[in-house]
Amino acid sequence: MVKSRSSVKITPYLMTVPMVVLFFILHTYPFLKGVFYSFTNWRGYGGWKFVGLKNYLYVFTNAEVTHSYLFTLKFAIFATVLVNVLSLAIALGLNGKIKFKNTLKAVYFLPYILGTLIIGFVFNFIFGTILPDIGQSLHIGFLSENILGGAHAWLGILFVTVWQSMAFNTLIYLSGLQTVDTEIYEAAELDGTTPWQRFYKITFPLIAPFFTINLVLSVKNFLMVFDQIIAMTNGGPGNLTTSISVLIYKRGFQGAQFAVQSANAVVLFIVIASISLFQLRVLEKREEKIQ
Amino acid sequence: MKKILTITATLLAGLALAACSSNKSASSGKKTVEFYSTKQENVSTYKGLIKEFESKNKDIKVKLVAPADGGTVLKTRLTKNDIPDVLAMGGDFNFVDVTKADVLADLSDRPYAKRALPAYTKMLKQYYSGNKMLGMPLAANVSGVMYNKDLFKRAGINKTPETWDEFIQDMKQLQSKGIQPLAFPFKDSWTAMGIWNQIAGNELPASFIGKRKDNKTSFQKTHKESAEKFAQLLPFGQKDIVGLSYNDSNKLFAQGKVAMLINGNFVIPELVKNNKDINVSMFKLPVSSDAAKNKVTSGVDVLLAKSKQTKNNAACDKLISFLTDKENEKKYIDEQFALPTVKGVEQSNARLAGVVADAQAGNIVDYPDHLYPSGFDMAGLLQQFALNYKDGMKTSEIINTFLKNADNKFDSANVEE
């Protein structure tokens, strides 16, 4: 190996340093500032003083915060499982020899291009007007009322979230499936394996890295669920669909609890970071085992 | 590398130029007054009035600023101690916050101060301590019941109800004629406050919140009757009680499918937009069973305040005086469909006839939620109330849960100070 001269090395830095600077100014610095303010009593304006861990104590003892954590966890678990099972199924289908493959791909990818707020408003109309009309004319009890205005409002949000999030995960699974050598399948077929065996013993292990990234990204995204809820229920009815992010936004900015909700945001960050790290360790071990 | 440097240099030069040009306008001979509005709906009216003001006062230039989410933007400016010369804002928790920052001038010795209706100036004084006048009311809003006159006639009701019992009776009458009395747009939880404010405002004295903040009383001890009245209304609404949105309920009313909506005067333009022939008028929600005790819930929609630190004190006073003289006040309330807060000006729109007289006579109560801590989500609690009703929970249980939650959430919102 020849020792690389400095003139050769400068290009990667030119490409990464501006991004690092921007990322630090726009992301890391505000985050650190938020951590700082979580130890004060700042209302978002005016003066402040240090209050130690008082805000964290509030976050851990407040029933509203606990409720929103439970709701968010429930939502994230359901959404992650549904999104990954469904998008893997769709990806397998799209990877097979079928007609209209590209059209179908476009159809499945469409929800991802639309903005979440727009989708939220569209489904607000569907849940609020179209479905109840159909339900009433067909005399189907559960359809004749706006699901977003009932105790099961979260199912409406879950449906829309899953429908929209599937697109991206399908794409990742699809690119994973395309890395699998088709000759392996042909060989397996000659050995007389069933399709289920081929999936479970060949496909699934071979796309393990893609499974890892999908799972980590899904959990992170769904723990931070915000737009869909704001667009469809605004956290209601009552506080049934108030996720952590929605609570932070509502109380922090509208309710002048900036410091308290900064503490809440720090806790959320720690929760998400530890879940993600845990997932990565477990899933990477699994990947290693397969290799 | 050289190219990148050139681009950066050009960008920096551009920024520097932009910075220069924004400073330039200050050097012209006119005095500039910054007029800051937290509302955007009334900007067109302000523009007309300001144009007239500037043509009468050639040496003053008024810079109208009305950003989106103006209340929050104003608070961020407070942190930098950058106060607009004249403020136009609602008499709500944002105003309470501004008075706490001690940046507003006392207007009580100004000549225009005497023009204001005493009921509204008294209301504003509740928001801060001391006997100063920190805000000059410009317009008021009013809550009540919007009703479809044609549907009332069809049900044989010739007179609007004046007591709670009459109100309930009239709703039963409407129901017996196959007319849906009420629609509740509780999908948008804030609309529940339109009802709650009128009930609680009439049932309880404004001093409640102060005592509650000091933990000397509780919702459980005092708000049982208000909650019972709220519960009594629910059977008269649509079945899917939390499923209807604000816009959809307005449409239902405009189509004549529902006889009444309980909310504020700002709903009427929306109804007229949906159906310009709608025969709608307003009456106050008769909360008490003693007609003489019922008051109209009305608050200051816009007040004008002056910065302590303004360099153009006289020009600011001229502007406030101009906006609150009879002729311009009339213009404002007509265009904005608001209630006057200046003596001798009348809102003569027939659609508001049922509430105007009370407001003019000072027979008003303030919105209780103007004094609630800003993180206290009473609207969400009422939405839960309605949901529990829909799910078939027993009324006494709904009310107990509601009052207990109200106390808990009040405590968790009341963390500051």
Side-chain angles (χ1 to χ4, degrees), chain B residues 129-143:
Chain B
S129 47
N131 197 29
K132 289 175 185 170
M133 180 179 183
L134 299 180
M136 171 76 194
L138 175 69
N141 48 22
V142 59
S143 280

Side-chain angles (χ1 to χ4, degrees), chain B residues 59-336:
Chain B
D59 58 330
I60 303 173
K61 183 163 169 29
V62 179
K63 193 174 132 206
L64 175 65
V65 181
D69 201 4
T72 312
V73 175
L74 181 64
K75 285 181 192 171
T76 61
R77 287 186 59 171
L78 282 181
T79 60
K80 293 183 280 180
N81 211 16
D82 170 24
I83 321 296
D85 298 310
V86 177
L87 278 167
M89 64 189 311
D92 51 21
F93 60 90
N94 281 323
F95 179 61
V96 176
D97 285 335
V98 176
T99 59
K100 273 184 201 153
D102 193 28
V103 291
L104 300 180
D106 183 9
L107 307 175
S108 45
D109 61 341
R110 302 287 103 188
Y112 50 77
K114 284 186 224 88
R115 295 178 193 159
L117 286 172
Y120 290 107
T121 49
K122 218 177 102 193
M123 188 181 284
L124 289 179
K125 279 181 186 167
Q126 287 174 11
Y127 298 158
Y128 49 86
S129 47
N131 197 29
K132 289 175 185 170
M133 180 179 183
L134 299 180
M136 171 76 194
L138 175 69
N141 48 22
V142 59
S143 280
V145 184
M146 270 66 61
Y147 72 107
N148 185 325
K149 283 181 154 176
D150 297 337
L151 290 183
F152 265 52
K153 210 177 277 170
R154 204 195 300 163
I157 306 167
N158 303 317
K159 176 176 116 4
T160 55
E162 280 174 8
T163 65
W164 184 258
D165 305 324
E166 276 177 43
F167 183 54
I168 301 286
Q169 196 51 49
D170 284 348
M171 289 201 282
K172 283 183 182 154
Q173 174 89 5
L174 285 163
Q175 256 178 346
S176 70
K177 294 279 183 309
I179 300 166
Q180 185 184 322
L182 280 168
F184 295 117
F186 290 163
K187 172 96 200 320
D188 295 305
S189 61
W190 63 269
T191 59
M193 292 311 294
I195 303 170
W196 178 254
N197 276 330
Q198 299 187 56
I199 298 179
N202 269 294
E203 289 273 328
L204 290 141
S207 58
F208 166 77
I209 283 299
K211 285 187 196 151
R212 180 65 189 82
K213 278 182 177 161
D214 299 337
N215 266 323
K216 281 182 191 146
T217 181
S218 70
F219 279 92
Q220 290 174 83
K221 275 183 207 154
T222 54
H223 278 65
K224 195 153 181 263
E225 275 159 34
S226 300
E228 273 164 1
K229 286 197 167 147
F230 187 77
Q232 277 181 48
L233 296 176
L234 300 183
F236 296 102
Q238 79 279 10
K239 210 174 126 235
D240 186 10
I241 198 157
V242 197
L244 191 68
S245 73
Y246 174 63
N247 286 331
D248 287 339
S249 80
N250 290 344
K251 262 180 219 147
L252 279 184
F253 186 96
Q255 290 162 357
K257 286 181 182 160
V258 53
M260 290 183 283
L261 294 173
I262 311 180
N263 210 328
N265 57 326
F266 46 83
V267 179
I268 297 181
E270 297 296 316
L271 302 176
V272 177
K273 214 188 282 170
N274 277 309
N275 174 7
K276 63 178 177 7
D277 302 319
I278 188 82
N279 195 0
V280 57
S281 188
M282 240 177 130
F283 62 84
K284 64 180 165 187
L285 183 68
V287 176
S288 169
S289 45
D290 178 357
K293 276 191 187 154
N294 282 317
K295 292 185 174 178
V296 162
T297 314
S298 175
V300 176
D301 193 34
V302 181
L303 61 88
L304 301 171
K306 189 173 72 172
S307 161
K308 251 184 188 174
Q309 318 156 356
T310 177
K311 288 183 198 119
N312 299 315
N313 205 357
C316 292
D317 277 332
K318 259 188 194 167
L319 179 62
I320 298 175
S321 177
F322 175 84
L323 290 172
T324 54
D325 84 9
K326 276 187 196 171
E327 191 189 324
N328 296 320
E329 169 87 3
K330 178 78 182 146
K331 202 167 160 192
Y332 181 93
I333 60 161
D334 282 350
E335 277 186 32
Q336 289 302 314

Side-chain angles (χ1 to χ4, degrees), chain A residues 258-271:
Chain A
F258 192 88
V260 172
Q261 296 307 334
S262 291
N264 195 359
V266 172
V267 173
L268 177 64
F269 167 76
I270 294 170
V271 167

